[in-house]
């Protein structure tokens, strides 16, 4: 069964460094998402992406964050200058046709900022 | 506003028993989705129920939705030790695009 994949599974970085988290959504899906989960907290929506542009973003998704679909399969989240509070599990998700359909999540990337 | 608040926060049962978890939400929804998360792992999609549906089944899972009370329940029948995980409800709002808003989750422990 097709699944969303994410790399790396764990990333450790120093404060102020740039990180890129990578995702490969399910191949026939058109909508892509990033969520994050700070340890012990709820899963929070960051951004949704369709047709090569952001369709929706939360207040968390500030200028330090950006997303890109650099080719036909990858979907990336870049954090320009990481802060300690960016430490979290970052989940990529995709769904076939946006509203009303199941969102399938990847296994996550655990980002640790030291 | 807070959406998708689950209760109980934690539930411990014996293998073979049924587990019921509840979720309440505050705004109108398009659908509600339940997910399972094993400790420190990814979110596994369990079931989606639309706002015009009242009940849905998938294997040992039964989900109900009461839009008048803005609540949903997830029932796992004949639980197994492997069902031990956190369970989250997530709502897709009627007017909030396709983003999902998650609750705090219920930690289910099934004792062998």
């Amino acid at each position: 069964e097709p699944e969303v994949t994410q790399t790396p599974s764990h990333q450790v970085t120093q404060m102020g460094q740039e990180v890129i988290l990578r995702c490969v959504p399910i191949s026939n899906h058109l909508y892509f998402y990033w969520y994050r989960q700070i340890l012990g907290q709820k899963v929070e929506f960051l951004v949704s992406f369709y047709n090569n542009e952001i369709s929706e973003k939360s207040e968390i998704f500030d200028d330090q964050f950006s997303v890109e679909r650099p080719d036909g399969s990858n979907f990336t989240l870049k954090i320009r200058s990481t802060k300690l509070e960016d430490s979290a599990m970052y989940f990529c998700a995709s769904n076939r046709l946006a509203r009303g359909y199941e969102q399938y999540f990847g296994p996550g990337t655990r980002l640790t900022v030291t | 506003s807070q959406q998708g608040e689950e209760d109980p926060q934690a539930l411990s049962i014996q293998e073979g028993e049924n587990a019921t978890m509840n979720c309440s939400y505050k705004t109108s929804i398009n659908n509600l989705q339940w997910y399972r998360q094993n400790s420190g792992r990814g979110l596994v999609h369990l079931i989606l129920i639309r706002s015009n549906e009242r009940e849905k089944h998938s294997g040992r899972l039964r989900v109900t939705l009461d839009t008048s009370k803005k609540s949903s329940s997830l029932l796992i029948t004949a639980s197994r030790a492997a069902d031990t995980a956190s369970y989250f409800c997530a709502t897709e709002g009627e007017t909030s695009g396709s983003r999902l808003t998650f609750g705090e989750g219920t930690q289910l422990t099934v004792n062998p």
Side-chain angles (χ1 to χ4, degrees):
Chain A
E1 188 168 319
E3 55 184 23
V4 178
T5 59
Q6 290 185 242
T7 54
S9 56
H10 191 188
Q11 172 99 40
V12 181
T13 189
Q14 289 193 323
M15 204 165 50
Q17 295 296 305
E18 174 184 287
V19 293
I20 298 176
L21 310 182
R22 292 184 166 78
C23 167
V24 178
I26 294 172
S27 63
N28 63 346
H29 285 189
L30 301 177
Y31 287 80
F32 315 122
Y33 306 83
W34 284 101
Y35 292 80
R36 77 172 185 193
Q37 185 181 32
I38 294 170
L39 188 64
Q41 297 187 23
K42 295 185 190 187
V43 175
E44 301 172 290
F45 168 78
L46 293 177
V47 66
S48 60
F49 191 86
Y50 168 70
N51 200 26
N52 280 320
E53 57 184 37
I54 290 172
S55 48
E56 198 181 358
K57 61 182 180 179
S58 72
E59 56 280 1
I60 302 168
F61 193 88
D62 61 22
D63 292 344
Q64 295 284 29
F65 292 90
S66 62
V67 289
E68 195 180 25
R69 183 126 161 103
D71 54 42
S73 58
N74 289 285
F75 178 51
T76 61
L77 174 70
K78 183 195 289 187
I79 309 175
R80 267 181 262 287
S81 177
T82 50
K83 308 185 195 72
L84 293 176
E85 53 266 36
D86 293 328
S87 294
M89 184 76 101
Y90 287 81
F91 294 106
C92 174
S94 69
N95 70 356
R96 199 158 56 92
L97 288 171
R99 287 177 60 73
Y101 288 86
E102 293 85 349
Q103 284 189 29
Y104 293 98
F105 283 70
T109 293
R110 180 165 297 285
L111 176 66
T112 303
V113 182
T114 61
Chain B
S1 64
Q2 284 184 320
Q3 285 280 80
E5 299 176 350
E6 288 93 335
D7 78 83
Q9 288 188 322
L11 180 62
S12 182
I13 59 173
Q14 294 301 120
E15 215 166 21
E17 294 180 340
N18 295 341
T20 300
M21 289 159 273
N22 302 297
C23 165
S24 62
Y25 57 91
K26 289 188 162 49
T27 63
S28 296
I29 62 169
N30 190 37
N31 64 67
L32 185 147
Q33 305 185 37
W34 283 93
Y35 289 85
R36 185 185 75 227
Q37 184 181 37
N38 289 71
S39 181
R41 309 285 289 275
L43 295 158
V44 175
H45 190 274
L46 297 176
I47 202 162
L48 178 153
I49 187 163
R50 294 190 164 79
S51 59
N52 61 353
E53 297 175 311
R54 292 297 164 256
E55 189 170 309
K56 221 165 172 184
H57 296 254
S58 176
R60 293 184 296 112
L61 306 181
R62 174 178 165 249
V63 168
T64 62
L65 179 65
D66 186 337
T67 52
S68 66
K69 293 181 180 173
K70 291 188 166 58
S71 67
S72 173
S73 68
L74 170 67
L75 168 68
I76 304 174
T77 59
S79 63
R80 305 166 182 166
D83 294 329
T84 295
S86 291
Y87 291 82
F88 296 90
C89 69
T91 52
E92 182 186 284
E94 214 172 44
T95 58
S96 59
S98 59
R99 68 164 73 183
L100 293 180
T101 303
F102 281 79
E104 306 275 358
T106 293
Q107 172 60 50
L108 174 67
T109 302
V110 183
N111 300 299

